Amino acid sequence: MILPSVGRGGLGFEPPPPHESPEREELFGLIERHAKALPRYTSYPTVPYWDAEFGEAEYVDALDDAGDAPDQPLSVYVHLPFCGKRCYYCGCNAIAGHRAEVVDRYIERLSWEIEGVVDRIGVGRSVSQIHWGGGTPNFLTDAQTARLFGMLESAFHIEADAEVSIEMDPRVATASQPPLLKRLGFNRISMGVQDFDHRVQVAIGRIQPESDTVSLLEWSRTAGFESVNFDLVYGLPYQTSESFARTLHRVVELAPDRIATFSYAHLPQVRRIQRAVDATGLPDNRAKLGLFLDTVEVFEEAGYQWIGFDHFATPDDELSVAARERRLLRNFMGYTTHAAPDQVAFGMSGIGCLAGRFVQNDPRIKNWEESLEAGHFPIVRGHRLSLDDQVRSYVIQHLMCNLELPDDLTSEPFGAPMAELFARDLPGLAPYVEEGFLERTATGWDVTSTGRFFLRNIASVFDAYLVDSADRPTFSSTV
Ligand code: SF4
């Protein structure tokens, strides 16, 4: 073990080793040794293992089952794919530059989709979490935004303390948006920043003057938003330790409440748009990991708490509190404390989880629209979770969020200790215990400071779909 675990309490973890230290060298070596293409475990099983035969009939069954639990709150995701212009590094389901009437038509179809769902699960169901993602949700005009939010208000009962969040692009934001969003009931804004460095921005086809980010931040604060998140991306072309440090320190000065850092996966053969990225300046794996270690160092030094693998939040933020108390959750919308057991998704490519089934909408706008026009739900794949899937999903999620593997799963619906449920899997932990990624406690295993970089490796021990699978899909690399 190269970094000590400090276990429970406090902010939980030692900062990473400083630049060019022997400890950092040792960590690089470990990461190279354990590098594997592994899923990010946003869901278990992961999307590539879902069933393409799962269609509308199965979705209707799931909705009807969810309708049998009318008092259970829901999470709601709305996918809004429109963007001003496509960024070269984009890995999202996004569509560039559409006219207002195309967006209006999309919103109309969303209303049909919402109506179809509510017809089955019941009108006025409580909602504890709403997230608008994309694409660029603030590509909508104020009138379109108000119309869409009104549709959700008519269909659901949004709880007074619900988490209501939206992803925003500072480049298309206007001064009128944050006050409107606040009036409607949004309480969290997440904005894409990626990197303030101009050369990096040119290489990724996303020129975003710092003044755009600062303006949206100021408008949001003035409108009364107490929770603002910045998204950063590391591993982009021309990012160096020095250039990225300038971005990190500027972010600290601007003081968002949360920061999410995403690893750039350059996969031009899968994502055609990435062929436009200036790949000559891409950092190698070691440099990329160095960028992430610098990120942890700067943000922890600035007082942020490191959450999960790649998020940061102020110590009094509810994510930080939940992480310290080991009750943090994660769903398709990210880390949260408000996730409901069932999540309904609207819009092209939207992913839901209802009554023990994962379900995904068609990611092609034309197909999504045509299905709804023909009176059908636009489902392209899904998965019904077995009891085995559910217990593995719980353990993997708990590990990724709360950095522990508890012995006692008897209080969960699974009704047996881990040693019994995972008798065949637990020996797979041995190499990670030996490397010092996990340490035994009186109640289970804690992930150590070093082990934090290997969460996906540890989680994969519990992934029954990876074992002996010759046709494993390709996932992005560990860091
Ligand atoms: S704004 Fe976001 S979703 Fe839209 S193209 Fe750029 S990276 Fe993709």
Side-chain angles (χ1 to χ4, degrees):
M1 183 173 79
I2 60 171
L3 295 170
S5 165
V6 294
R8 288 168 195 262
L11 294 186
F13 283 84
E14 289 288 302
H19 292 279
E20 296 179 22
S21 61
E23 290 86 357
R24 200 176 264 210
E25 275 307 302
E26 199 179 331
L27 185 57
F28 284 140
L30 278 173
I31 286 177
E32 272 164 19
R33 201 154 74 236
H34 291 278
K36 259 189 199 176
L38 290 169
R40 299 186 68 79
Y41 291 114
T42 315
S43 70
Y44 177 83
T46 50
V47 177
Y49 292 102
W50 297 2
D51 183 1
E53 299 300 307
F54 187 110
E56 183 183 31
E58 288 75 14
Y59 185 45
V60 166
D61 281 347
L63 289 170
D64 288 345
D65 286 352
D68 290 340
D71 298 331
Q72 194 163 277
L74 300 167
S75 294
V76 171
Y77 174 73
V78 183
H79 191 78
L80 296 158
F82 307 104
C83 294
K85 174 179 169 283
R86 200 88 199 274
C87 312
Y88 304 155
Y89 68 99
C90 181
C92 307
N93 276 296
I95 301 169
H98 272 287
R99 301 181 311 275
E101 56 266 32
V102 177
V103 182
D104 278 336
R105 194 176 70 208
Y106 185 86
I107 294 173
E108 184 75 21
R109 270 95 192 128
L110 276 175
S111 75
W112 299 346
E113 193 179 17
I114 293 169
E115 202 178 299
V117 165
V118 165
D119 271 353
R120 304 208 82 96
I121 62 171
V123 73
R125 288 282 300 265
S126 278
V127 166
S128 60
Q129 183 189 27
I130 296 178
H131 183 73
W132 289 12
T136 301
N138 66 314
F139 190 77
L140 272 57
T141 63
D142 288 357
Q144 289 166 334
T145 301
R147 178 179 168 213
L148 176 54
F149 199 81
M151 282 157 39
L152 295 176
E153 281 183 312
S154 305
F156 301 103
H157 165 69
I158 303 169
E159 293 175 357
D161 61 347
E163 178 183 289
V164 187
S165 55
I166 182 168
E167 292 166 16
M168 297 183 77
D169 182 343
R171 297 171 301 164
V172 298
T174 63
S176 65
Q177 286 176 345
L180 169 71
L181 293 166
K182 187 74 184 160
R183 266 200 315 279
L184 291 174
F186 284 85
N187 45 38
R188 295 186 186 281
I189 282 180
S190 177
M191 62 183 86
V193 175
Q194 328 314 358
D195 192 320
F196 286 124
D197 189 273
H198 183 70
R199 191 177 187 198
V200 174
Q201 294 185 358
V202 171
I204 60 170
R206 183 185 172 114
I207 308 296
Q208 182 171 319
E210 193 180 306
S211 56
D212 284 359
T213 305
V214 172
S215 295
L216 178 55
L217 179 66
E218 283 173 357
W219 295 331
S220 305
R221 295 294 192 208
T222 306
F225 279 92
E226 284 173 10
S227 181
V228 175
N229 173 82
F230 278 10
D231 283 348
L232 301 181
V233 179
Y234 65 93
L236 294 173
Y238 302 109
Q239 278 178 334
T240 63
S241 200
E242 293 70 32
S243 78
F244 202 49
R246 283 193 291 276
T247 289
L248 297 174
H249 287 291
R250 184 67 183 125
V251 168
V252 168
E253 280 170 9
L254 294 172
D257 309 279
R258 295 178 183 179
I259 306 154
T261 58
F262 297 102
S263 163
Y264 174 59
H266 188 62
L267 300 167
Q269 66 285 14
V270 182
R271 299 173 188 145
R272 291 173 63 86
I273 186 75
Q274 291 185 349
R275 291 177 192 172
V277 168
D278 176 1
T280 51
L282 280 172
D284 62 20
N285 282 344
R286 178 172 283 236
K288 186 177 174 186
L289 176 64
L291 293 171
F292 181 64
L293 293 175
D294 295 346
T295 303
V296 177
E297 192 178 287
V298 170
F299 290 153
E300 286 206 321
E301 225 165 69
Y304 285 94
Q305 183 175 328
W306 186 7
I307 306 285
F309 179 68
D310 49 13
H311 283 53
F312 302 85
T314 52
D316 54 351
D317 187 286
E318 61 186 42
L319 285 190
S320 300
V321 176
R324 289 197 294 275
E325 295 173 359
R326 300 199 171 192
R327 53 176 179 78
L328 188 62
L329 302 168
R330 194 170 72 147
N331 59 16
F332 293 107
M333 302 184 250
Y335 289 104
T336 179
T337 55
H338 287 70
D342 283 342
Q343 174 185 322
V344 274
F346 302 109
M348 58 172 265
S349 79
I351 293 181
C353 178
L354 269 175
R357 282 86 141 187
F358 290 132
V359 56
Q360 183 172 27
N361 276 350
D362 202 310
R364 298 157 296 189
I365 188 166
K366 191 163 178 287
N367 296 28
W368 176 82
E369 287 190 345
E370 284 176 359
S371 289
L372 289 162
E373 284 157 16
H376 293 290
F377 288 116
I379 306 302
V380 286
R381 64 176 63 80
H383 178 84
R384 188 180 189 123
L385 286 104
S386 64
L387 186 60
D388 185 73
D389 290 336
Q390 288 176 41
V391 66
R392 288 174 189 275
S393 171
Y394 171 82
V395 168
I396 289 173
Q397 188 195 138
H398 191 75
L399 172 75
M400 305 293 282
C401 291
N402 300 304
L403 312 170
E404 69 169 356
L405 293 167
D407 280 335
D408 182 10
L409 292 176
T410 49
S411 58
E412 295 306 317
F414 318 116
M418 179 171 280
E420 201 175 297
L421 288 166
F422 293 107
R424 281 202 304 178
D425 307 87
L426 288 176
L429 292 179
Y432 300 130
V433 175
E434 208 165 295
E435 290 280 28
F437 302 165
L438 288 168
E439 68 180 11
R440 195 79 178 103
T441 66
T443 55
W445 285 270
D446 275 356
V447 176
T448 65
S449 298
T450 310
R452 193 159 196 169
F453 294 93
F454 302 91
L455 282 176
R456 288 158 72 179
N457 299 68
I458 300 168
S460 71
V461 168
F462 299 92
D463 186 341
Y465 291 83
L466 287 183
V467 178
D468 296 332
S469 176
D471 57 350
R472 258 174 73 164
T474 308
F475 300 103
S476 56
S477 63
T478 306
V479 175

Short mmCIF file of all heavy atoms in Angstrom, two decimals, residues 81-87 89-94 134-136 169 171 194 206, ligand 1:
data_model
loop_
_atom_site.label_atom_id
_atom_site.label_comp_id
_atom_site.label_asym_id
_atom_site.label_seq_id
_atom_site.Cartn_x
_atom_site.Cartn_y
_atom_site.Cartn_z
N PRO A 81 -31.83 17.03 -26.86
CA PRO A 81 -30.59 16.76 -27.61
C PRO A 81 -29.99 17.96 -28.34
O PRO A 81 -28.89 17.86 -28.88
CB PRO A 81 -31.05 15.72 -28.64
CG PRO A 81 -32.47 16.05 -28.89
CD PRO A 81 -33.02 16.53 -27.57
N PHE A 82 -30.70 19.08 -28.40
CA PHE A 82 -30.27 20.16 -29.30
C PHE A 82 -29.09 20.96 -28.74
O PHE A 82 -29.03 21.25 -27.56
CB PHE A 82 -31.47 21.09 -29.56
CG PHE A 82 -32.67 20.34 -30.04
CD1 PHE A 82 -33.74 20.09 -29.19
CD2 PHE A 82 -32.70 19.80 -31.32
CE1 PHE A 82 -34.83 19.35 -29.60
CE2 PHE A 82 -33.80 19.05 -31.75
CZ PHE A 82 -34.86 18.83 -30.89
N CYS A 83 -28.16 21.30 -29.65
CA CYS A 83 -26.99 22.11 -29.29
C CYS A 83 -26.79 23.14 -30.38
O CYS A 83 -27.19 22.94 -31.53
CB CYS A 83 -25.73 21.26 -29.23
SG CYS A 83 -25.75 20.05 -27.91
N GLY A 84 -26.11 24.25 -30.02
CA GLY A 84 -25.82 25.28 -31.01
C GLY A 84 -24.95 24.72 -32.13
O GLY A 84 -25.22 24.89 -33.32
N LYS A 85 -23.88 24.03 -31.75
CA LYS A 85 -22.92 23.49 -32.73
C LYS A 85 -22.29 22.28 -32.05
O LYS A 85 -22.10 22.28 -30.84
CB LYS A 85 -21.87 24.57 -33.02
CG LYS A 85 -20.72 24.16 -33.90
CD LYS A 85 -19.78 25.37 -34.10
CE LYS A 85 -18.47 24.96 -34.76
NZ LYS A 85 -17.53 24.31 -33.86
N ARG A 86 -21.98 21.26 -32.83
CA ARG A 86 -21.43 20.04 -32.24
C ARG A 86 -19.97 20.24 -31.85
O ARG A 86 -19.16 20.65 -32.69
CB ARG A 86 -21.57 18.91 -33.27
CG ARG A 86 -21.51 17.52 -32.68
CD ARG A 86 -22.86 17.01 -32.24
NE ARG A 86 -22.71 15.90 -31.30
CZ ARG A 86 -22.56 14.64 -31.66
NH1 ARG A 86 -22.61 14.31 -32.93
NH2 ARG A 86 -22.42 13.70 -30.74
N CYS A 87 -19.61 19.96 -30.59
CA CYS A 87 -18.21 20.00 -30.16
C CYS A 87 -17.55 18.71 -30.66
O CYS A 87 -18.17 17.65 -30.67
CB CYS A 87 -18.10 20.05 -28.64
SG CYS A 87 -19.16 21.27 -27.86
N TYR A 89 -15.32 16.74 -29.36
CA TYR A 89 -15.03 15.67 -28.40
C TYR A 89 -16.32 15.00 -27.90
O TYR A 89 -16.26 14.07 -27.10
CB TYR A 89 -14.26 16.25 -27.18
CG TYR A 89 -15.12 17.17 -26.35
CD1 TYR A 89 -15.74 16.72 -25.19
CD2 TYR A 89 -15.33 18.48 -26.75
CE1 TYR A 89 -16.56 17.56 -24.45
CE2 TYR A 89 -16.14 19.32 -26.02
CZ TYR A 89 -16.74 18.86 -24.87
OH TYR A 89 -17.56 19.68 -24.15
N CYS A 90 -17.46 15.46 -28.39
CA CYS A 90 -18.75 15.08 -27.79
C CYS A 90 -19.00 13.57 -27.82
O CYS A 90 -18.83 12.92 -28.85
CB CYS A 90 -19.87 15.79 -28.55
SG CYS A 90 -21.49 15.42 -27.88
N GLY A 91 -19.43 13.05 -26.68
CA GLY A 91 -19.82 11.65 -26.60
C GLY A 91 -21.29 11.51 -26.25
O GLY A 91 -21.73 10.43 -25.85
N CYS A 92 -22.04 12.61 -26.38
CA CYS A 92 -23.46 12.59 -25.97
C CYS A 92 -24.36 12.37 -27.18
O CYS A 92 -23.94 12.48 -28.33
CB CYS A 92 -23.86 13.92 -25.35
SG CYS A 92 -22.78 14.43 -24.02
N ASN A 93 -25.62 12.09 -26.91
CA ASN A 93 -26.62 12.02 -27.98
C ASN A 93 -27.11 13.44 -28.24
O ASN A 93 -28.05 13.91 -27.62
CB ASN A 93 -27.78 11.12 -27.55
CG ASN A 93 -27.45 9.68 -27.82
OD1 ASN A 93 -27.28 9.27 -28.97
ND2 ASN A 93 -27.31 8.91 -26.75
N ALA A 94 -26.42 14.11 -29.16
CA ALA A 94 -26.69 15.52 -29.41
C ALA A 94 -26.94 15.78 -30.89
O ALA A 94 -26.46 15.04 -31.74
CB ALA A 94 -25.49 16.35 -28.93
N GLY A 134 -28.65 16.56 -21.81
CA GLY A 134 -28.63 16.66 -23.26
C GLY A 134 -27.34 16.18 -23.87
O GLY A 134 -26.67 15.35 -23.29
N GLY A 135 -27.02 16.77 -25.02
CA GLY A 135 -27.44 18.01 -25.60
C GLY A 135 -27.29 19.23 -24.67
O GLY A 135 -26.56 19.22 -23.70
N THR A 136 -28.00 20.24 -25.06
CA THR A 136 -27.97 21.51 -24.33
C THR A 136 -29.40 21.92 -23.97
O THR A 136 -30.08 22.56 -24.79
CB THR A 136 -27.30 22.61 -25.21
OG1 THR A 136 -25.98 22.20 -25.54
CG2 THR A 136 -27.25 23.94 -24.50
N ASP A 169 -25.19 25.18 -21.15
CA ASP A 169 -23.99 25.55 -21.91
C ASP A 169 -23.85 27.07 -21.79
O ASP A 169 -24.71 27.81 -22.29
CB ASP A 169 -24.17 25.13 -23.37
CG ASP A 169 -22.94 25.45 -24.21
OD1 ASP A 169 -22.11 26.28 -23.78
OD2 ASP A 169 -22.82 24.87 -25.31
N ARG A 171 -22.22 29.12 -23.37
CA ARG A 171 -22.11 29.83 -24.64
C ARG A 171 -23.47 30.25 -25.20
O ARG A 171 -23.55 31.19 -25.98
CB ARG A 171 -21.38 28.97 -25.68
CG ARG A 171 -19.95 28.66 -25.30
CD ARG A 171 -19.37 27.63 -26.24
NE ARG A 171 -20.15 26.39 -26.23
CZ ARG A 171 -20.07 25.44 -27.16
NH1 ARG A 171 -19.26 25.58 -28.18
NH2 ARG A 171 -20.81 24.35 -27.06
N GLN A 194 -15.20 22.44 -19.08
CA GLN A 194 -14.18 21.57 -19.73
C GLN A 194 -12.76 22.07 -19.46
O GLN A 194 -12.01 21.45 -18.76
CB GLN A 194 -14.41 21.39 -21.23
CG GLN A 194 -15.86 21.42 -21.74
CD GLN A 194 -16.86 20.59 -20.97
OE1 GLN A 194 -16.52 19.91 -20.01
NE2 GLN A 194 -18.13 20.67 -21.33
N ARG A 206 -14.59 23.78 -29.31
CA ARG A 206 -15.53 24.39 -28.37
C ARG A 206 -14.88 25.66 -27.80
O ARG A 206 -14.22 25.63 -26.74
CB ARG A 206 -15.85 23.42 -27.23
CG ARG A 206 -16.90 23.97 -26.26
CD ARG A 206 -17.11 23.05 -25.07
NE ARG A 206 -17.96 23.66 -24.07
CZ ARG A 206 -19.16 23.24 -23.74
NH1 ARG A 206 -19.67 22.17 -24.30
NH2 ARG A 206 -19.87 23.87 -22.83
S1 SF4 B 1 -22.55 21.16 -25.95
FE1 SF4 B 1 -22.25 19.17 -24.94
S2 SF4 B 1 -23.79 17.82 -25.85
FE2 SF4 B 1 -23.61 19.61 -27.20
S3 SF4 B 1 -22.12 19.02 -28.75
FE3 SF4 B 1 -20.97 20.05 -27.12
S4 SF4 B 1 -20.31 18.40 -25.75
FE4 SF4 B 1 -21.93 17.56 -27.06
#
